[in-house]
Amino acid sequence: MNAPQTPAAAAASKTARRKALFTLASVVVLAGAAWGVYDWLVASHYESTDNAYVQGNVIQITPQTSGTVTAILADDTDLVRAGMPLVRLDPADARVALQQAEAALAQTVRQTRQLYANNATLTAQVRLREAEVARAQAEVARAQADLQRRQALTGDGAVSKEELQHARSQLDTARTQLAAAQAGVAAAREQLAANQSLTQGVPVEQHPSVLAAAAKVREAYLADRRTALPAPVDGYVAKRNVQLGQRVAAGTALMSIVPLREVWVDANFKENQLRHLRLGQPAKLTADLYGKKVEYTGTVAGLGVGTGAAFALLPAQNATGNWIKVVQRVPVRIALDAAQLAEHPLRVGLSMDVTVDTSERSGPALAEAPRKEAVAQTTVYASLDEGADADVARIIRANLGAH
């Protein structure tokens, strides 16, 4: 049985309890104050989220012409370079079409040459008709003079009425022949003018008919070159779904190319976290792939213009009686450092943790000027028609002759 505490011991115990409670209260107050100071000076200048994912351009490889697949030159996970052929289609149909277009161009050049040659022929015909008019005019003059001479002799009885009538008939015939010759000249000149309107001002190789046929050759030439599908950019192959011998139509997705050196992060921040986010603010990112040991530096490149729900296939309908508010999230694009990406590559769709330093808040929340450079571009397809002009020039030269 415990002995009862003396008054002095009870007072000492009570004093110790008070000190302990005061000390605990002081620690709580100091901790709260320290947290308040930290939140005011540090934590309030950062916004973080773990709802962030790596995004990138997924470039689909689609044929521009239909055909049968004869070769597949790249598979999933393969690295490809811009311009490298990925798939080849059977070129037989395209080559036949090219040969037909080349033959049509050659025929058009020859027919156009005939138009130019007709100018000389029609000019000669005009001169011939003009000579006939001159002869007919001379014949009219001769017949008219002969008639006047006979009319002068009629009063003396030296010329019979029959002979006078014969002279008049010859004059009428000469006049009829002159009219016919003049009509022939007019018709010949009209034919020459019509033919010259088809050829005037341009050489054979620049004639509209030749240019149209040449365009058909270039079109067929492009179709033949497009039977080999090149990679538009450097990247890695993903989602290959084309098979050997498959008959594919224009626009069919055969595979995808992902340029992993050009990925970015879409960080989905809550709407109440956006008030201090601005373009150009620095960010720190970590990926579950590498853990906390690898830290990426990024920059806020853009803030979304709508929430994910606003662009959903089936947007939420909130005009109901049992509506419950859900905090929305807005995607914020974070641009990554290219050197860090090369050292520690990321994959599209990976999870990321993002922390944005919002200390500097003078930047805009939305872009204030249009983009000056292309988001993405390639020059691979610009060289597909190389050689078409030389092919056209060869055909024209071979069929132009000495014109």
Side-chain angles (χ1 to χ4, degrees), residues 100-283:
Q100 291 175 341
E102 291 174 341
L105 174 59
Q107 183 179 9
T108 301
V109 171
R110 292 176 179 268
Q111 291 174 345
T112 305
R113 283 180 56 199
Q114 186 176 1
L115 288 176
Y116 285 81
N118 287 343
N119 285 335
T121 302
L122 293 173
T123 301
Q125 289 180 357
V126 170
R127 292 174 181 173
L128 178 61
R129 296 292 183 269
E130 290 174 345
E132 291 176 353
V133 168
R135 287 195 298 269
Q137 288 174 341
E139 185 65 25
V140 168
R142 186 191 63 79
Q144 190 170 8
D146 190 35
L147 176 61
Q148 290 175 352
R149 188 172 56 252
R150 282 172 170 72
Q151 286 176 340
L153 297 174
T154 301
D156 299 336
V159 177
S160 64
K161 293 182 178 180
E162 182 179 356
E163 188 175 354
L164 183 62
Q165 184 64 33
H166 179 68
R168 288 174 177 171
S169 298
Q170 285 183 337
L171 178 59
D172 292 340
T173 302
R175 287 175 175 173
T176 301
Q177 290 176 348
L178 175 60
Q182 290 175 338
V185 168
R189 286 175 177 172
E190 288 179 359
Q191 290 180 353
L192 177 59
N195 198 80
Q196 286 178 337
S197 67
L198 298 176
T199 60
Q200 190 173 12
V202 292
V204 174
E205 56 272 19
Q206 295 297 322
H207 192 273
S209 297
V210 175
L211 294 178
K216 291 293 184 182
V217 171
R218 293 187 179 92
E219 182 181 8
Y221 188 93
L222 273 175
D224 180 56
R225 293 289 301 273
R226 285 169 176 167
T227 55
L229 279 64
V233 295
D234 297 348
Y236 293 86
V237 178
K239 295 179 63 177
R240 179 181 76 83
N241 51 23
V242 63
Q243 298 297 332
L244 197 65
Q246 181 180 352
R247 177 73 179 182
V248 296
T252 303
L254 305 183
M255 61 177 65
S256 299
I257 303 296
V258 181
L260 291 181
R261 293 190 177 183
E262 301 174 4
V263 298
W264 64 89
V265 172
D266 278 345
N268 300 300
F269 284 94
K270 296 178 182 179
E271 49 191 314
N272 55 10
Q273 293 180 291
L274 299 178
R275 60 174 61 96
H276 299 311
L277 287 179
R278 298 292 185 270
L279 298 181
Q281 289 174 340

Side-chain angles (χ1 to χ4, degrees), residues 283-287 290-298 336-337 340-341 343-344 352-353 355:
K284 300 293 184 181
L285 306 93
T286 57
Y290 299 108
K292 302 294 183 181
K293 295 182 179 180
V294 177
E295 187 176 69
Y296 297 87
T297 57
L336 300 176
D337 183 79
Q340 293 177 338
L341 279 176
E343 185 177 359
H344 300 286
M352 302 286 289
D353 291 332
T355 300

